[in-house]
Amino acid sequence: MKPFTFSGVLLVNILLSLFLGYKLDEWLNTTPIFIIFGLIYSVVGSIYILLHKANKHE
């Protein structure tokens, strides 16, 4: 995966998880638990995808 492609995927995942987490927290009147969980999930998922594709190309 090219560096610009990975950074674009990571950025889109983080922005989408921030938006969805914010809307869920707003709708359920909760603390920012969904924002935090979404950010952790998107970063870990993006790194997993990067490592998986890097190992596939070797």
Side-chain angles (χ1 to χ4, degrees):
M1 182 179 286
K2 295 181 180 179
F4 292 116
T5 305
F6 176 69
S7 62
V9 168
L10 182 63
L11 179 65
V12 169
N13 285 341
I14 288 174
L15 290 176
L16 187 63
S17 67
L18 278 173
F19 177 74
L20 290 175
Y22 176 76
K23 288 298 181 183
L24 276 171
D25 284 331
E26 187 179 73
W27 180 53
L28 297 172
N29 294 325
T30 58
T31 58
I33 190 73
F34 288 107
I35 293 174
I36 295 169
F37 178 74
L39 282 174
I40 293 170
Y41 182 75
S42 65
V43 170
V44 170
S46 296
I47 291 172
Y48 174 77
I49 289 171
L50 174 69
L51 293 175
H52 181 69
K53 287 190 178 191
N55 288 336
K56 196 175 190 180
H57 287 285
E58 288 182 0

